[in-house]
Amino acid sequence: MKLQPGLSAIVTGGASGIGEALSSALGKKGVFVTIVDLCEEKGKKVASMFEKDFKELYPNMKSPCSMFIKCDVSNHSDLVAAFRRHLDVFGGLDICINSAGIGTPVLFYKDKTDGTCSWRRTVHVNLMAVIDCTQLAIQAMQTGGKPGAVVNIGSASGIYPFPADPVYSATKGGVVMFSRALVPYKSEGIRVNVLCPEFVRTDISEKVDKKLIELAGGFLPMEMIIDGAFELIEDDSKAGACLWVTNRRGMEYWPSETEKRKYRINPLKPKALMHQSQYNVEIPNSFLKVIVRNLDHNFRKATEVVRAQLNYPIKSDHVVVKILYAGVNASDVNFTSGRYFGGKEASSTRLPFDAGFEAVGLVAATGDMVNDIKIGTPVAVMCFGAYAEFTTVPAKHVFPVPKPDPEIVAMLTSGLTASIALEQAGHMQSGQVVLVTAAAGGTGQFAVQLAKLARNKVVATCGGKRKAAFLKELGVDRVIDYKFEDVKAVLKKEFPKGVDVVYESVGGHMFDICLNALAIYGRMVVIGMISQYQGEHGWKPLSYTGLCEKILAKSQTVAGFFLIQYGHLYRDHLDKLYNLFSAGKLKVLVDPNQFFGPGSVADAVEYLHSGESLGKVVVCMDPSFSKQRAKL
Ligand code: NAP
């Protein structure tokens, strides 16, 4: 649902705190708002401010554009009257934000009463009224027959316990579970979600221990709450979603897909699995693939394109995948030089072996025991042997994906490395300075955008004007084009306190510059060292004299990251990247240079190492498929 002029909303607790901020932000989008609150004085004031601001922005819109209704949300008949009045005045209801909430008046540990004026009141206002309002909102939306969005304002204390006010915590936990359980309304276009902020400067947080708030990273900026609520309203895929907002971790959906899988009795099949196949897949008798014939860091010298037969019968738990797009990676040359199987000696015993790390394609055949993947399902594969027209892999290693597009290949090794490394090794938070090297490349483009989405200041290095322009388009705050500026001098002058997180992939001299630019407590994530991969005699390890002294003096961390060791996180992070991409929040650039068929892989690898590529380099394994796709 796009927030746009002419929609209408009810906001409970709209006279102060989060409710007031959300009412005013909705007004800026041209949404008519009914402010429902117990406090008449504040409510009327907010409504008249709203009216004034709204008319300035939208002078031609009809009046009234807002209304205040005094109402005790714990009183059912008051609420019924408030919803009826809203519908009479605005003719329908598109959005309902349930923000009214209180802290428990008498601390539970000291409460000797029967609870009527203390914890029972909290339960009535924070939980029962939210259920009541949600039900009234759903009924109004069903009557209107249009899509609707309900956002319940929960709390981080509804996700994990808040011993300072156990009853508050219990009510918010109830709001979280209630909202998450309402997914079935999505089929009617009505989406109920819950927003769970940590500490926000409102009347409720007045009584909270200030030290605790400091430990949690301080109060959350109200803009973050507004962004979160608007995301839940505007993103039509969100229903029963719980968006957790903290200063320490930014915005994240809770629980993660991994946690959800633990409790689902009948795991929901990924959407793609349930689709009838829309693609035709034919299996030829033989196919082409790239193999590593001898170990060499020169990809062209190491590899050969050969014709192979598909092995029948297919192993019972395997699938055959017709590869459409394979991803090219800087580390392909490390693979051909034998670094991936425990060094040269161990690798040479495996020769010849199949090359290529990642691809998207279509399931072409399945083994006897594979009954949950249909032929024709678009899948992503992250197994060795992707530089081929077909590959046979264990079914458990394929990820069903919505479309077999090159952008999805980019999300695999490149996107996953950025997403997982920044989280697991970089411990990236919000409000930090994040430096990304080789930022316009396959993985760099993801790192800069994820750092921006987490509300950081992003500094990025690249070589060339075309790349610098692309990075500016992605929202990078300071692009350093090393062909025109001295990276070391810029960092020293413009970031004298240093940078907090570095996503480093160039190595050599660039590693030194980044290390010297690291702030106190800074974390440098080493994901690669492309400048060292293809020396005359291959990759020679460097020694870094004084590294320990440097990081000791500033309590810094230099953390290594190798994607292969994080396979357990692939699905969650892939889902996250795809959701951001489909919501238009993440751009994925595939390099416009086209490479077709296994015979072009060596050209593509050399192109990546030329330093000229922009975004993700891919090889299309079946040019005729792009025509078939265009017709769909
Ligand atoms: P990429 O960034 O798309 O392409 C390489 C870019 O690196 C070039 O456009 C160029 O950018 C820079 N570059 C190339 N050759 C260079 C050289 N000799 N000296 C200095 N810079 C050079 O490649 P990618 O596949 O996404 O990989 C980027 C890095 O991430 C590599 O170090 C790779 O090994 C690493 N990686 C690591 C993991 C992991 O699990 N640890 C996973 C994926 C990738 P500019 O000139 O604009 O800087």
Side-chain angles (χ1 to χ4, degrees), residues 569-587:
L569 299 179
Y570 289 177
R571 184 78 247 187
D572 282 359
H573 282 258
L574 193 56
D575 287 348
K576 175 182 113 181
L577 292 171
Y578 187 77
N579 288 340
L580 287 169
F581 173 65
S582 37
K585 294 182 178 168
L586 180 78
K587 290 186 183 145

Side-chain angles (χ1 to χ4, degrees), residues 328-331 334 340 413-414 417-418 421 437-445 461-464 467 471 482-483 503-507 510 526-534 539 560-564 607-617:
V328 179
N329 287 285
S331 214
N334 300 327
Y340 273 64
T413 307
S414 300
T417 298
T437 60
T443 187
Q445 63 171 326
T461 71
C462 69
K467 295 184 185 185
L471 289 170
Y482 63 77
K483 294 199 172 156
Y503 185 76
E504 211 301 275
S505 64
V506 172
M510 187 62 94
V526 175
I527 63 141
M529 42 205 71
I530 191 168
S531 66
Q532 297 169 230
Y533 294 166
Q534 287 189 303
W539 181 350
F561 178 88
F562 195 26
L563 183 64
I564 287 175
Y607 174 61
L608 185 144
H609 281 277
S610 71
E612 291 305 312
S613 61
L614 180 65
K616 179 75 185 178
V617 180

Side-chain angles (χ1 to χ4, degrees), residues 411-531:
M411 288 176 209
L412 303 177
T413 307
S414 300
L416 288 176
T417 298
S419 182
I420 301 174
L422 285 171
E423 178 189 286
Q424 299 286 318
H427 300 179
M428 184 175 72
Q429 299 168 17
S430 299
Q432 298 183 310
V433 179
V434 179
L435 170 63
V436 179
T437 60
T443 187
Q445 63 171 326
F446 288 95
V448 296
Q449 292 184 83
L450 293 172
K452 275 309 301 173
L453 283 166
R455 298 164 181 276
N456 291 297
K457 184 166 212 166
V458 178
V459 187
T461 71
C462 69
K465 284 188 183 155
R466 201 168 59 114
K467 295 184 185 185
F470 167 58
L471 289 170
K472 279 189 192 133
E473 232 175 78
L474 295 185
V476 170
D477 299 283
R478 178 64 164 99
V479 179
I480 313 175
D481 178 350
Y482 63 77
K483 294 199 172 156
F484 294 92
E485 289 186 286
D486 182 82
V487 179
K488 187 175 166 187
V490 173
L491 291 172
K492 200 168 172 194
K493 184 166 170 231
E494 297 180 28
F495 300 91
K497 288 193 181 155
V499 299
D500 304 299
V501 178
V502 183
Y503 185 76
E504 211 301 275
S505 64
V506 172
H509 184 47
M510 187 62 94
F511 174 92
D512 288 339
I513 294 175
C514 293
L515 184 66
N516 288 327
L518 210 54
I520 293 175
Y521 307 127
R523 295 183 74 88
M524 164 132 87
V525 186
V526 175
I527 63 141
M529 42 205 71
I530 191 168
S531 66

